Amino acid sequence: MGLTERKKEILREVILKFINTAEPVSSQNIVDNTNLGLSPATIRKEMAELENLGYLYHPHTSAGRIPSDKGYRFFVDNYIRKSIENKSSSIEQAIAASKASITSEIAKDITKDMDFEIILKKSSEHLAKMTNYLSMIVAPEIYNSKFRHVELIELNKGQVLLVLITDTGRVFKRNFSVEGLYNNLEYQSAANILNANLRNKNLSEVEYSKLKISQSDSYLVPLIKKVIDTIKKIINDTLVYNRVYIHGTSSILNQPDFFDIKKVHNVLKLLENEYMLVNMLLNLVDGDELIIKIGSEIFEEETSDLSLVASKYKIYDQSTGTIGILGPKRMDYFKVVNIVIAFKQNFDEIFSQNFH
């Protein structure tokens, strides 16, 4: 059964009122705060029918009603998503304002010489501050990153520091030992060969057999093979755990939605498991689409009181990470969605200067 326009409008008003107050919404609330021109009795009847249809429900013994997961889903699909798809002036203006705010705030806090991981950490802090919910940023998987540059620095005789820089600006350092005596010039020559052969290659394609090494440089082969082995170890070690930067745990727990101790335990159980959070983001977000998951749509009991807004982001249109905002189902979807979209659009613009 489809909803009449009147039911849609009343449902929308109930959800907006509940998002703002965290209090069950009565028919009198709707009369007092809208210009629908309907009597309390008419609104009460419509709200009862919305409850029978599964869009609203009565919490405890309250006279008011609150949205169900089905109600939130209708609201998100019919008001938030349509605003994005239609590029409505309200969402476009909100995204532009968020982009300006993001640029202004992060510019104060980030310098050109910062490691990529520090930039992600600070970005997650700003996102949590802007939304007042939990922010999560998953770094791009190193396996999908591209080779940018390698440096070889002699520490002691036979002891070398390898510095690997990817296309996202992530820096990996690893010590290794090598047999044979090489001087600084030869270490530089080996690095030059690797940089010439591997620049902009996907790290998954790093293989000694694919290198072109001249006969005159053949004496560097043992050193180059050792460097390739060390790069592969870095990739394998990093694949074991895909780094996630989380900020704003206290913000989400301070929401009135989580005064119930059982709900607090459920949220904490989820937040303590970073591996689960990473998998949640990587498995739910596909392609460039912004996703909005509500309550039980996420997974498991721990998320039944939460909603997730998430999207992929790109660095140089190549390496892909994920950004997510986790909050109560009563979250301000309009605000969170425009911030996530703005951050995604602005990511390369904000950070690319750090890596040129």
Side-chain angles (χ1 to χ4, degrees):
M1 175 182 173
L3 296 182
T4 63
E5 288 304 313
R6 188 160 75 181
K7 282 186 173 63
K8 289 178 184 178
E9 189 63 24
I10 290 171
L11 176 59
R12 178 176 178 273
E13 292 299 331
V14 170
I15 293 173
L16 289 173
K17 183 72 174 170
F18 184 64
I19 285 173
N20 287 332
T21 66
E23 296 288 339
V25 181
S26 67
S27 55
Q28 193 61 50
N29 290 146
I30 300 298
V31 171
D32 294 342
N33 293 281
T34 64
N35 297 313
L36 296 179
L38 300 173
S39 69
T42 299
I43 291 178
R44 193 157 46 244
K45 177 177 177 292
E46 294 283 21
M47 287 174 71
E49 290 180 10
L50 284 166
E51 183 174 358
N52 290 335
L53 292 169
Y55 292 97
L56 300 175
Y57 71 93
H58 264 98
H60 312 301
T61 56
S62 169
R65 292 175 175 85
I66 66 176
S68 64
D69 286 12
K70 182 178 178 181
Y72 281 120
R73 172 49 59 198
F74 181 87
F75 175 79
V76 164
D77 288 347
N78 287 273
Y79 297 105
I80 305 298
R81 282 207 175 278
K82 283 188 178 176
S83 291
I84 298 170
E85 291 166 5
N86 297 333
K87 296 186 176 179
S88 69
S89 58
S90 58
I91 196 94
E92 292 289 295
Q93 288 169 11
I95 290 169
S98 293
K99 284 180 74 171
S101 178
I102 291 166
T103 303
S104 172
E105 284 297 312
I106 292 182
K108 299 175 191 172
D109 205 24
I110 289 177
T111 60
K112 291 185 178 182
D113 57 350
M114 282 183 177
D115 286 346
F116 185 69
E117 280 76 6
I118 295 175
I119 292 174
L120 291 186
K121 178 177 180 294
K122 287 184 174 291
S123 297
S124 72
E125 293 171 3
H126 284 293
L127 280 165
K129 182 179 176 183
M130 291 177 73
T131 60
N132 211 29
Y133 303 131
L134 185 92
S135 77
M136 302 170 287
I137 300 180
V138 180
E141 293 184 61
I142 187 172
Y143 198 69
N144 292 326
S145 297
K146 295 185 184 298
F147 182 101
R148 167 66 67 82
H149 188 76
V150 70
E151 289 283 348
L152 300 177
I153 302 166
E154 184 179 29
L155 301 173
N156 296 299
K157 287 299 179 185
Q159 291 294 314
V160 183
L161 171 65
L162 180 151
V163 181
L164 172 67
I165 304 173
T166 72
D167 64 324
T168 63
R170 296 181 76 181
V171 179
F172 298 90
K173 298 176 182 178
R174 186 67 57 92
N175 293 357
F176 68 92
S177 57
V178 63
E179 294 181 6
L181 296 177
Y182 298 96
N183 59 37
N184 285 329
L185 189 59
E186 289 165 332
Y187 284 123
Q188 185 62 56
S189 295
N192 289 343
I193 291 168
L194 289 161
N195 288 328
N197 277 272
L198 299 176
R199 186 178 297 277
N200 294 326
K201 292 281 197 307
N202 195 298
L203 288 177
S204 61
E205 300 172 0
V206 172
E207 296 286 349
Y208 169 74
S209 61
K210 297 180 180 179
L211 301 182
K212 295 177 181 177
I213 303 173
S214 68
Q215 188 63 36
S216 62
D217 290 324
S218 60
Y219 71 102
L220 294 173
V221 165
L223 172 59
I224 290 172
K225 283 185 173 179
K226 190 72 176 180
V227 174
I228 293 291
D229 288 344
T230 305
I231 290 174
K232 286 186 173 183
K233 285 179 183 175
I234 291 173
I235 295 169
N236 289 333
D237 289 348
T238 309
L239 279 173
V240 172
Y241 181 64
N242 203 11
R243 192 78 178 98
V244 59
Y245 299 87
I246 300 172
H247 204 78
T249 303
S250 59
S251 296
I252 194 171
L253 292 177
N254 285 334
Q255 297 288 336
D257 312 71
F258 300 109
F259 286 161
D260 184 318
I261 194 67
K262 183 182 177 183
K263 291 183 178 181
V264 171
H265 282 311
N266 282 342
V267 173
L268 288 175
K269 183 178 175 183
L270 174 67
L271 300 184
E272 285 168 0
N273 192 335
E274 291 190 2
Y275 179 78
M276 186 187 295
L277 287 173
V278 170
N279 277 342
M280 175 182 75
L281 285 171
L282 296 183
N283 292 335
L284 290 176
V285 185
D286 187 31
D288 290 335
E289 183 186 6
L290 178 132
I291 65 113
I292 303 172
K293 296 291 183 181
I294 298 163
S296 55
E297 295 174 357
I298 305 176
F299 63 60
E300 300 187 6
E301 182 184 353
E302 289 83 5
T303 66
S304 61
D305 297 303
L306 300 167
S307 282
L308 171 72
V309 177
S311 180
K312 298 284 190 187
Y313 67 84
K314 289 184 178 180
I315 302 292
Y316 300 133
D317 291 323
Q318 296 171 351
S319 297
T320 306
T322 311
I323 169 179
I325 302 294
L326 198 65
K329 286 191 289 190
R330 190 187 53 83
M331 73 158 61
D332 186 339
Y333 291 95
F334 184 84
K335 176 183 176 181
V336 172
V337 163
N338 78 62
I339 287 173
V340 169
I341 292 173
F343 189 88
K344 174 183 174 179
Q345 291 178 355
N346 227 21
F347 200 96
D348 186 69
E349 184 180 316
I350 295 167
F351 300 119
S352 62
Q353 62 177 317
N354 295 280
F355 310 132
H356 287 314

